[in-house]
Amino acid sequence: MNFFNTLIAKWSESLSFFKKDNFKLFLLASLNSTFKSLILFFKKFWVLPVLFLLAIASLSGLNILFFKLISNKMLFIFLNFLMILLSIGALVLALQVVFLPFLLVRASSENKNFNYLRKNIKKILTLSILVIVLFLFPPIVFKMPLISISSNIILKIWMAFAGTVFCFTTFFFLDTKKHFITIFISFVRALKLFVFFMPVMLFLIIFFLSVTFLNMQYGLLQTYLLQNGFMFLFYLASAFFFIFSFILTFLNLSFIANYYTIVRHKYYSFFYK
């Protein structure tokens, strides 16, 4: 009975989030956080996506050479070794690019530079395991190719739910001192937040699904332009789509990071008993 009383009380309290002044303040804070994070990304960390693209381009070039020089044993071994190193490097860079927005939008008194990123690299590697469990395991269980996620409503809702829980888990985990075991505690805290503050979670999920829907429409537009030979418009739409998705990703994370900060400070004992 105590559980349900607490649940109803927290749902009722979380509805205050949608009051005009509270919601307006939240939106303004999220937009400000998004803007500052984007400036930081392009000012200090632009080199990471550039290095990642260079690594991918190098791997593509080496792959072509690989088949041309397959008869030369020494070059074959050297290219294999080089491709392994580049693959590891590209993976590490990809993880840093994916998790960097989380580090930039979270509230922190630390100077957000490469040293800040380096200090959290172990946690990033741990979080990548959770990504596999939450996002790759369900399609494998349902025996569905990953590409079908965009057209399957059940998997799409699952991704919205799992994505929201994962984001809160990430922020809880980044605020812990230990590196591995606390990922499970952070995940439980994120689920607890999701259940007890459901009204706001539904808002975040609807926003997540709206972003996904917009991305799908842009994807259909790109396909139409490409199939009909409008190459200039295709490249223009692709550039706009990338920038638009990038900004929305930061805005989505800013929403979650700001609400996480509000709830963590207001209900600290509720999560850290």
Side-chain angles (χ1 to χ4, degrees):
M1 193 66 179
N2 187 49
F3 170 82
F4 290 104
N5 289 337
T6 305
L7 183 67
I8 298 301
K10 291 289 181 289
W11 281 8
S12 179
E13 289 172 23
S14 65
L15 287 173
S16 64
F17 169 83
F18 297 102
K19 289 181 179 178
K20 184 179 178 181
D21 290 340
N22 292 345
F23 193 66
K24 181 181 177 181
L25 187 62
F26 175 81
L27 285 177
L28 289 173
S30 298
L31 288 170
N32 183 53
S33 175
T34 301
F35 177 74
K36 287 183 176 179
S37 300
L38 285 168
I39 293 296
L40 265 176
F41 183 90
F42 288 111
K43 185 179 179 181
K44 294 187 177 181
F45 300 98
W46 60 270
V47 70
L48 290 177
V50 170
L51 287 174
F52 173 70
L53 290 174
L54 286 174
I56 295 299
S58 300
L59 276 171
S60 300
L62 285 174
N63 193 49
I64 296 170
L65 282 174
F66 182 81
F67 289 102
K68 287 185 176 180
L69 301 172
I70 199 168
S71 58
N72 190 312
K73 189 176 180 180
M74 290 300 295
L75 283 175
F76 176 77
I77 295 171
F78 175 74
L79 284 176
N80 260 309
F81 178 70
L82 197 58
M83 287 177 72
I84 290 170
L85 287 179
L86 273 172
S87 298
I88 294 170
L91 178 61
V92 172
L93 284 168
L95 288 173
Q96 291 183 67
V97 171
V98 167
F99 286 101
L100 183 58
F102 288 90
L103 296 171
L104 294 180
V105 300
R106 72 184 282 252
S108 174
S109 58
E110 295 181 75
N111 186 17
K112 294 180 179 179
N113 50 27
F114 274 98
N115 187 49
Y116 172 68
L117 179 61
R118 182 189 59 80
K119 284 166 62 178
N120 288 284
I121 193 67
K122 289 183 180 178
K123 289 186 177 181
I124 287 173
L125 293 174
T126 305
L127 285 163
S128 64
I129 299 171
L130 188 61
V131 170
I132 294 171
V133 174
L134 284 176
F135 299 106
L136 297 184
F137 183 70
I140 292 171
V141 168
F142 290 109
K143 297 180 180 179
M144 299 180 69
L146 291 176
I147 197 170
S148 67
I149 290 172
S150 61
S151 59
N152 186 288
I153 188 64
I154 295 174
L155 279 177
K156 200 182 296 180
I157 293 172
W158 166 256
M159 287 298 172
F161 162 77
T164 305
V165 172
F166 171 75
C167 290
F168 280 109
T169 301
T170 300
F171 290 121
F172 273 115
F173 187 52
L174 289 172
D175 281 334
T176 60
K177 292 183 179 179
K178 295 181 180 179
H179 294 301
F180 184 74
I181 192 67
T182 48
I183 188 70
F184 303 107
I185 299 169
S186 299
F187 181 66
V188 171
R189 285 171 179 159
L191 282 175
K192 189 175 182 180
L193 191 153
F194 191 94
V195 171
F196 284 93
F197 298 87
M198 183 67 73
V200 181
M201 297 303 106
L202 291 175
F203 161 74
L204 294 173
I205 285 177
I206 290 169
F207 183 79
F208 185 98
L209 289 171
S210 300
V211 172
T212 304
F213 176 77
L214 286 172
N215 286 341
M216 285 175 62
Q217 301 314 303
Y218 273 109
L220 291 173
L221 175 62
Q222 286 175 296
T223 303
Y224 172 80
L225 293 173
L226 187 62
Q227 288 177 345
N228 289 276
F230 300 110
M231 297 309 296
F232 174 75
L233 290 176
F234 168 75
Y235 290 120
L236 190 65
S238 298
F240 179 80
F241 167 71
F242 174 78
I243 295 169
F244 182 72
S245 298
F246 196 71
I247 292 172
L248 282 181
T249 298
F250 270 84
L251 181 60
N252 189 37
L253 285 177
S254 293
F255 280 161
I256 295 171
N258 285 339
Y259 191 68
Y260 161 77
T261 302
I262 292 168
V263 171
R264 186 173 182 269
H265 285 286
K266 190 174 180 179
Y267 302 99
Y268 187 86
S269 60
F270 182 70
F271 294 100
Y272 293 90
K273 286 181 181 180

